[in-house]
Amino acid sequence: MQKKNHSLYSPQNLFFLLVISSYLIFSPSLNIQAFDNKRITELVLISIVLLLFFITCKLKKNNLYFNIPVYQKTTLSIIAILLLLSSLLATNQSYAFLETSLYLGLFFFCLFLAAIAKEKSHHIQLFFFITLATSALLYQTNFFTAFLASFIENIPLQWPEPFSGFSNVRFFNQYQIWSISLLALPLLLYQKLDKRLLFFLKIIAIGWAILLFASGSRGAIGSIFIAMILTLCVFKNHAKPFLKLNSLILLAGAIAYLLLFKLIPSLLENQVTVGWKSIEQFGNSSGRIALWQFAIQYIVDNPWLGIGPMHYAYYPGPTHAHPHNSLLQWACEMGIPSTLLVLSLIFSGLYNWVKKFYILTNSESLYVPSHLWIGLFCTLCSGLIYSLVSGVIVMPLSQIMMALIIGWMLGIYFQDQESKPASQLQHIGLMLLAGATLITLTYTALPSLLPRLHSYADLPYQDYPIIAPRFWQIGGIPH
């Protein structure tokens, strides 16, 4: 048992957690090439994980992947095969394999974190809470400093100021959706902490809620409330403390938003938010219906293997390189069979998560706090729901957050099970897949990465069917 705990502090695990923590803390607040730098860092993180999977001796003994039930492993394998076939038949194979290798890399990313979380979930729990709270605090410091300076000088903020660090405020929401329900959890889990620290954590959580309302995202707000209702329906009385706390945090955030951005500027005739878009101004679909119509037509024309991974950016909708709907995106690019398999994985995973909670609770053997179990369910549902109206599965920071949450949940789910040793053949297969994914990711990313590192002015803009974010900030696939 001592050996098992010691592995948590192995150099590769500590290095991985340190890099991830630094990325989540600083990346949201840095405004230098806000989109592409986040993508480049994501590629570096995934490459590190793939390399560790390929060379680490520890993985020769066991791997959490082999704890996954046969049905889910078979489903994952079929999805991977369908992705490869779709990529082979795509018009631009290089970009298609880039997207496929990215998804495979995120899968290994999940497994790597899950293995650490399984060994010592309490430390991973602290890692997440400290990292997310620090990240939110740093971002709020930038936000409210800019807001206060404009307020004092009576200078109108130009939307989306003072949201910084993201080329679009919705990309901020796609990051925030994975953390907003978790920021309040320490108030339930660590009630014996110093009251001043608990008050400080409460302020951070309320500040994060203020930014949610200030961003004017109906999709993010609606997704959170739908996820909370779903959580109540599934976990019933068990969820009430968590949902009550989050409801109070959101209510406090909404009131503070109205005071700071509506009432006070109005009473003082301050111009700070004159140019802002408020929630009530978002009264249309923002062009999503047209994007969805394009995706549906692609599905009708290519139902089995789709038009190819990332190829909504090759045959774009009228204004965007993705349809702002994860379900339609996967179906039109990867095909209906692959989409149905992904849905089966999602629903079976959520079902097993809830089922195990009740089994462990009824037997009084739940090995992590119930609030954490419930909070992660609510967080995952929030992200999944928001992905139906936004690019949650597209943007780099939200992809990393999604992989971290899923990996954390996998580690917790299998924490009470012994790791199953892999046969030599299985181990070689997993190593080769990690190595092949790393090579493919590097080979397909470099041609589009190197010009962006040199100068954006040298990009052949006339070759891009659309200038909108997808893999890169200029995300169309060049013809």
Side-chain angles (χ1 to χ4, degrees), residues 344-468:
S344 72
L345 273 181
I346 292 172
F347 284 113
S348 65
L350 291 175
Y351 172 78
N352 288 330
W353 182 260
V354 174
K355 179 182 177 182
K356 186 162 187 175
F357 172 83
Y358 278 104
I359 291 173
L360 295 174
T361 301
N362 292 336
S363 62
E364 298 183 350
S365 56
L366 191 64
Y367 44 80
V368 297
S370 62
H371 303 309
L372 177 61
W373 203 287
I374 293 165
L376 287 171
F377 175 89
C378 186
T379 296
L380 182 58
C381 288
S382 298
L384 291 174
I385 294 168
Y386 190 38
S387 76
L388 297 176
V389 294
S390 187
V392 170
I393 68 168
V394 172
M395 305 310 163
L397 193 54
S398 63
Q399 285 180 339
I400 288 293
M401 285 297 297
M402 177 174 62
L404 288 171
I405 295 299
I406 294 173
W408 190 6
M409 293 176 74
L410 281 172
I412 290 175
Y413 185 86
F414 291 113
Q415 186 178 328
D416 62 339
Q417 299 181 23
E418 290 294 327
S419 297
K420 295 182 179 180
S423 68
Q424 186 176 5
L425 183 61
Q426 290 173 322
H427 168 67
I428 292 174
L430 202 60
M431 283 184 61
L432 289 176
L433 180 59
T437 301
L438 177 59
I439 293 171
T440 305
L441 185 64
T442 304
Y443 179 79
T444 54
L446 283 178
S448 57
L449 168 61
L450 294 177
R452 287 168 168 82
L453 291 176
H454 181 258
S455 173
Y456 265 80
D458 296 335
L459 289 177
Y461 287 89
Q462 69 279 3
D463 296 339
Y464 288 86
I466 190 167
I467 308 297

Side-chain angles (χ1 to χ4, degrees), residues 12 15-16 19-20 41-56 109 112 438 441:
Q12 65 267 20
F15 175 71
F16 173 75
V19 173
I20 289 296
T41 310
E42 179 192 28
L43 292 175
V44 171
L45 291 174
I46 291 174
S47 298
I48 290 172
V49 169
L50 290 170
L51 186 61
L52 289 174
F53 253 94
F54 186 73
I55 66 175
T56 305
F109 194 92
F112 197 88
L438 177 59
L441 185 64

Side-chain angles (χ1 to χ4, degrees), residues 140 180 183-184 187 200-210 249:
Q140 289 175 57
I180 192 164
L183 277 179
L187 301 174
F200 185 59
L201 292 174
K202 192 178 296 183
I203 293 298
I204 293 175
I206 293 173
W208 213 227
I210 293 173
I249 294 292

Side-chain angles (χ1 to χ4, degrees), residues 233-286:
C233 293
V234 169
F235 291 98
K236 301 179 175 63
N237 289 335
H238 298 288
K240 286 184 177 179
F242 167 80
L243 294 176
K244 179 182 178 181
L245 175 62
N246 271 276
S247 297
L248 292 173
I249 294 292
L250 290 170
L251 178 62
I255 294 172
Y257 159 73
L258 292 173
L259 288 172
L260 290 173
F261 297 92
K262 298 290 185 180
L263 183 60
I264 294 176
S266 176
L267 291 175
L268 298 179
E269 298 182 350
N270 195 289
Q271 303 294 308
V272 65
T273 57
V274 166
W276 265 39
K277 296 181 180 179
S278 59
I279 296 172
E280 60 268 20
Q281 289 178 298
F282 288 79
N284 54 50
S285 65
S286 301

Side-chain angles (χ1 to χ4, degrees), residues 47-344:
S47 298
I48 290 172
V49 169
L50 290 170
L51 186 61
L52 289 174
F53 253 94
F54 186 73
I55 66 175
T56 305
C57 295
K58 173 190 168 186
L59 298 177
K60 294 180 180 179
K61 299 176 182 178
N62 54 64
N63 191 284
L64 187 138
Y65 172 74
F66 300 104
N67 285 77
I68 299 174
V70 174
Y71 163 74
Q72 277 90 350
K73 283 190 291 189
T74 304
T75 303
L76 285 167
S77 300
I78 295 173
I79 291 172
I81 292 170
L82 290 174
L83 280 173
L84 293 173
L85 290 174
S86 181
S87 300
L88 285 170
L89 297 175
T91 303
N92 190 314
Q93 292 183 350
S94 178
Y95 275 85
F97 276 106
L98 175 58
E99 181 102 319
T100 297
S101 59
L102 177 68
Y103 286 137
L104 288 174
L106 288 169
F107 169 70
F108 279 101
F109 194 92
C110 285
L111 291 181
F112 197 88
L113 181 77
I116 303 175
K118 181 180 184 298
E119 294 176 353
K120 205 70 173 178
S121 65
H122 180 66
H123 290 158
I124 292 298
Q125 180 177 306
L126 286 173
F127 157 78
F128 267 105
F129 291 148
I130 293 172
T131 297
L132 293 179
T134 306
S135 177
L137 176 62
L138 180 60
Y139 194 88
Q140 289 175 57
T141 301
N142 290 343
F143 180 93
F144 288 111
T145 299
F147 176 81
L148 183 60
S150 297
F151 184 89
I152 293 172
E153 297 295 331
N154 198 13
I155 299 173
L157 289 166
Q158 299 301 312
W159 181 261
E161 294 176 350
F163 287 97
S164 61
F166 296 87
S167 58
N168 188 305
V169 69
R170 294 295 156 256
F171 304 162
F172 163 75
N173 291 131
Q174 292 155 14
Y175 163 68
Q176 186 187 39
I177 199 77
W178 297 107
S179 60
I180 192 164
S181 296
L182 297 177
L183 277 179
L185 265 181
L187 301 174
L188 289 173
L189 301 180
Y190 305 109
Q191 296 183 23
K192 294 183 179 180
L193 286 176
D194 186 279
K195 290 184 179 180
R196 290 168 294 183
L197 180 56
L198 289 174
F199 178 76
F200 185 59
L201 292 174
K202 192 178 296 183
I203 293 298
I204 293 175
I206 293 173
W208 213 227
I210 293 173
L211 267 61
L212 172 69
F213 292 103
S215 69
S217 174
R218 294 173 305 159
I221 295 170
S223 299
I224 291 167
F225 281 104
I226 292 172
M228 290 173 67
I229 293 170
L230 180 60
T231 301
L232 178 62
C233 293
V234 169
F235 291 98
K236 301 179 175 63
N237 289 335
H238 298 288
K240 286 184 177 179
F242 167 80
L243 294 176
K244 179 182 178 181
L245 175 62
N246 271 276
S247 297
L248 292 173
I249 294 292
L250 290 170
L251 178 62
I255 294 172
Y257 159 73
L258 292 173
L259 288 172
L260 290 173
F261 297 92
K262 298 290 185 180
L263 183 60
I264 294 176
S266 176
L267 291 175
L268 298 179
E269 298 182 350
N270 195 289
Q271 303 294 308
V272 65
T273 57
V274 166
W276 265 39
K277 296 181 180 179
S278 59
I279 296 172
E280 60 268 20
Q281 289 178 298
F282 288 79
N284 54 50
S285 65
S286 301
R288 287 182 177 85
I289 300 299
L291 299 176
W292 296 347
Q293 288 173 341
F294 272 79
I296 291 170
Q297 187 58 53
Y298 295 148
I299 295 169
V300 172
D301 295 339
N302 306 270
W304 299 109
L305 292 173
I307 57 178
M310 212 195 296
H311 271 56
Y312 194 96
Y314 188 90
Y315 313 100
T319 55
H320 291 79
H322 63 93
H324 288 68
N325 183 300
S326 57
L327 195 60
L328 290 177
Q329 178 180 320
W330 198 277
C332 79
E333 293 188 341
M334 282 66 143
I336 294 175
S338 177
T339 305
L340 294 176
L341 290 173
V342 170
L343 287 174
S344 72

